[in-house]
Amino acid sequence: MVHVESEKAPDVQERIAKILASGEFPHVNAYRLICMRSTGAGARAYARIWSLPSIWQNALGIDPFYVIEVLSQHFDKLDQEKKDKVLIHELLHIPKKFSGGLVPHTCFGKKIDERKVREIYERVLKSRNEY
């Protein structure tokens, strides 16, 4: 049996803050987005996003939260550009209403794909160079 451990990931939280500072994701409430690092997970993904479903929000009387989990064994070996692109990909799954739901890879003719991530990444880089 695989034992998965997770802990808060302040380095990833900082990278997310820099991406959000670009203005590309104005709907994302950074205070309700938590970054975690997992070790021992069997998934092949670099990262995944988790939401707090509305039934839990209502039961607990709290607003929506999201967790971006990076899988250490895959994510940590990436270069900075690829890490940013992975995080942008995960941020694209957060709906404009920040409701606690998740946007699928294909929705209403729009896709979360490498092209979309690359476009946003280029704008994020441009916004950093404008300071």
Side-chain angles (χ1 to χ4, degrees), residues 10-74:
D11 59 315
V12 178
Q13 198 84 43
E14 189 176 316
R15 295 194 79 74
I16 288 284
K18 289 178 181 177
I19 293 168
L20 294 179
S22 72
E24 285 294 320
F25 298 93
H27 61 287
V28 174
N29 181 339
Y31 299 105
R32 298 194 168 279
L33 177 62
I34 301 161
C35 296
M36 302 291 290
R37 175 174 278 104
S38 294
T39 55
R44 294 187 335 232
Y46 296 113
R48 48 193 174 189
I49 188 162
W50 301 88
S51 65
L52 186 63
S54 59
I55 190 79
W56 281 100
Q57 293 171 43
N58 292 336
L60 299 172
I62 60 175
D63 291 329
F65 272 90
Y66 289 89
V67 173
I68 292 181
E69 173 195 16
V70 298
L71 284 73
S72 181
Q73 68 271 25
H74 305 302

Side-chain angles (χ1 to χ4, degrees), residues 42-113:
R44 294 187 335 232
Y46 296 113
R48 48 193 174 189
I49 188 162
W50 301 88
S51 65
L52 186 63
S54 59
I55 190 79
W56 281 100
Q57 293 171 43
N58 292 336
L60 299 172
I62 60 175
D63 291 329
F65 272 90
Y66 289 89
V67 173
I68 292 181
E69 173 195 16
V70 298
L71 284 73
S72 181
Q73 68 271 25
H74 305 302
F75 183 83
D76 290 347
K77 9 179 154 164
L78 299 175
D79 63 33
Q80 302 296 51
E81 177 180 336
K82 182 67 175 159
K83 285 179 180 177
D84 283 348
K85 287 180 176 178
V86 166
L87 297 175
I88 288 168
H89 176 101
E90 297 309 321
L91 288 168
L92 285 167
H93 285 290
I94 299 174
K96 300 286 187 219
K97 292 187 176 185
F98 202 82
S99 60
L102 290 170
V103 176
H105 283 105
T106 303
C107 184
F108 301 115
K110 296 180 182 178
K111 291 183 179 181
I112 297 174
D113 58 13

